[in-house]
Each structure stands twice: as C-alpha cells, then as structure tokens.
Amino acid sequence: MRQFLILAVALLVIGGFVARYFDQAMVQQPARAAAAQAAYEPRQPATSGRSLTLETGRDGHYPAEARIEGRRIDFIVDTGASLVILRESDAAQIGIRPMRSDYTATVSTANGKIKAARAQLERVEVGGITVYDVPALVLPDEALWKNLLGMSFLSRLKRYEVANGRMVLEQ
C-alpha cells in the first residue's frame, strides 16, 4: 500500500511538470514556428540513384522536396509522424480537397487533439526515390507550419539513417 501511495505521488508530480512544460510550449509555439519558418532554408539534396542524402537545416529539421501528382511540395522528414501529413492548402494544390465531414480521424499532437481527413497519395517522389500508394492525413493549415514526411513513406524504404547532421534515405 505504501509503495502504491509513493507511486501515485510521483505520478502527480511528474504530471504537474509535464502540464507546465506543455503550457509553456503552447505559449511559445507561435514564436518558435515563426523562427523555424525563417530559419528554413531549402538546400539541394545529394542524390545517387535510389539513395538520397539530406542535410539538416539550421532549425535542426531535415527539409525535403517531394513531388506529388507532379507538384512540388516542401516537407520536413519526421520519424515521429505515423503518416505523411499535408496542410490543407498543399493538399488542395494536388487535388485533395476534403469536405468538413471527411475530418473523421482524431490525431494527438503536441498542441492537443485535432481532427484530420484521411487521404491516399498515388505516388510520392523524393529525389530518385518513389513510393506508391502512401496513406496520408490532411490537417488544417493552422495546425502545422510545414508538411510532414512520416513513417507511411519512410517505412517503405530499404533504410533511413541519421548520422553527423545528415539523413540518408535508401530504396
């Protein structure tokens, strides 16, 4: 019983710190998003056949340019995202325009839960790498500042690796 009480108190303390952290993160989010957008400077990735090397940006992210439905779309490679995530405005450029009633998926983000619309991308090309039939989600533009190239794309590669400020994608 005593161990249970100690564990309960520890969880309450940790919960308080986590709540404080997220409160601060939500207050600072707009400023960080603006700074990250300003720091984002796309570079030409090194590509070799079906292998691609991405350099880290000044903001610590790995920017990637993809072609979907023949249109160029900027992404951040995000191994923490389960799926490819598109902003509504970028999804509209490639012909995906979900109705409000299509927003049936609930997504947990650092800023809380939000509704998203499911989509299927026929073909995603990044450098010399092409992946077909990629599951994706569409989120309102205000929910994120950049599209995310997540695991629904990355998991279909032979490998991806991060080392020394570079990310290598290989098909």
Side-chain angles (χ1 to χ4, degrees):
M1 180 70 169
R2 183 176 184 182
Q3 290 174 337
F4 177 75
L5 288 174
I6 292 171
L7 178 62
V9 170
L11 288 175
L12 284 172
V13 170
I14 290 170
F17 282 110
V18 169
R20 186 180 319 158
Y21 170 78
F22 280 113
D23 285 343
Q24 289 175 345
M26 288 184 66
V27 169
Q28 296 171 356
Q29 178 82 14
R32 279 196 306 237
Q37 277 182 310
Y40 175 72
E41 187 175 291
R43 299 181 192 169
Q44 293 298 323
T47 182
S48 167
R50 297 177 65 125
S51 178
L52 176 70
T53 301
L54 302 171
E55 300 285 332
T56 186
R58 283 185 273 163
D59 59 3
H61 295 289
Y62 292 93
E65 180 182 291
R67 288 193 95 55
I68 303 173
E69 304 298 332
R71 300 269 186 163
R72 184 185 76 76
I73 306 286
D74 290 327
F75 283 88
I76 296 287
V77 179
D78 187 350
T79 60
S82 301
L83 300 171
V84 170
I85 310 293
L86 292 167
R87 300 175 78 232
E88 275 180 327
S89 57
D90 290 315
Q93 287 183 27
I94 59 173
I96 299 173
R97 293 177 183 87
M99 305 283 290
R100 285 292 147 215
S101 60
D102 294 329
Y103 286 78
T104 58
T106 301
V107 179
S108 294
T109 70
N111 293 327
K113 292 185 179 187
I114 190 163
K115 291 290 188 181
R118 296 183 195 283
Q120 189 77 16
L121 306 175
E122 288 183 33
R123 177 178 175 159
V124 178
E125 300 172 78
V126 181
I129 297 171
T130 303
V131 176
Y132 297 91
D133 300 319
V134 179
L137 290 174
V138 177
L139 268 64
D141 284 356
E142 59 273 6
L144 69 159
W145 64 276
K146 190 64 76 174
N147 300 301
L148 305 177
L149 193 61
M151 292 305 294
S152 60
F153 175 86
L154 296 171
S155 67
R156 309 267 293 282
L157 302 178
K158 181 178 179 180
R159 75 179 179 103
Y160 60 93
E161 178 180 74
V162 177
N164 300 321
R166 292 190 172 107
M167 176 177 275
V168 177
L169 308 178
E170 185 179 322
Q171 189 172 36

